[in-house]
Amino acid sequence: PPAPPPANAAVEAADAEHPPCNNKPIKTGSCWVDGQEYKCSPVPGNSVLSQDQPSPMAGCLGGKEAWDTCDNGWFLCKPQPPLPKETFHTIFNVQSSRYFEWQGRYL
């Protein structure tokens, strides 16, 4: 009979699925710190310039964790839910029955 898998096979599989953030490049993937998922993300007005750089905002890690892990000066931040899609009303997407009301209000 074949030998049973090592006892830590489940742990190794989980580690492969959720790699730790250990200053190795992750590109567009994600990594885990203390059971929390983080992704490389741009933070407007901030760039990782050194390992001593503090976290720019809540939900992001500092330069120590992002250094060599993220490219382009990005920080490791917790993933954010997508923003709701905004609808901009124009002359082309207003119901015809409301056109004159819309025209008087916005034009």
Side-chain angles (χ1 to χ4, degrees):
N8 60 357
V11 172
E12 289 175 8
D15 287 346
E17 186 178 335
H18 304 296
C21 299
N22 55 5
N23 297 92
K24 293 190 177 163
I26 62 169
K27 304 289 182 204
T28 59
S30 62
C31 60
W32 294 72
V33 173
D34 298 328
Q36 296 284 322
E37 180 183 19
Y38 290 87
K39 292 184 175 220
C40 292
S41 306
V43 177
N46 292 283
S47 291
V48 176
L49 301 174
S50 75
Q51 292 180 347
D52 299 328
Q53 190 152 353
S55 171
M57 59 189 254
C60 291
L61 302 176
K64 178 182 174 187
E65 295 82 9
W67 191 257
D68 289 334
T69 302
C70 300
D71 293 334
N72 305 319
W74 290 7
F75 286 88
L76 280 169
C77 298
K78 292 180 182 177
Q80 299 294 318
L83 295 174
K85 184 178 177 185
E86 292 186 31
T87 301
F88 293 97
H89 294 286
T90 67
I91 192 173
F92 301 106
N93 67 359
V94 174
Q95 294 176 2
S96 60
S97 63
R98 307 293 251 164
Y99 175 73
F100 291 108
E101 176 188 339
W102 180 86
Q103 187 179 30
R105 186 180 301 172
Y106 299 109
L107 292 182

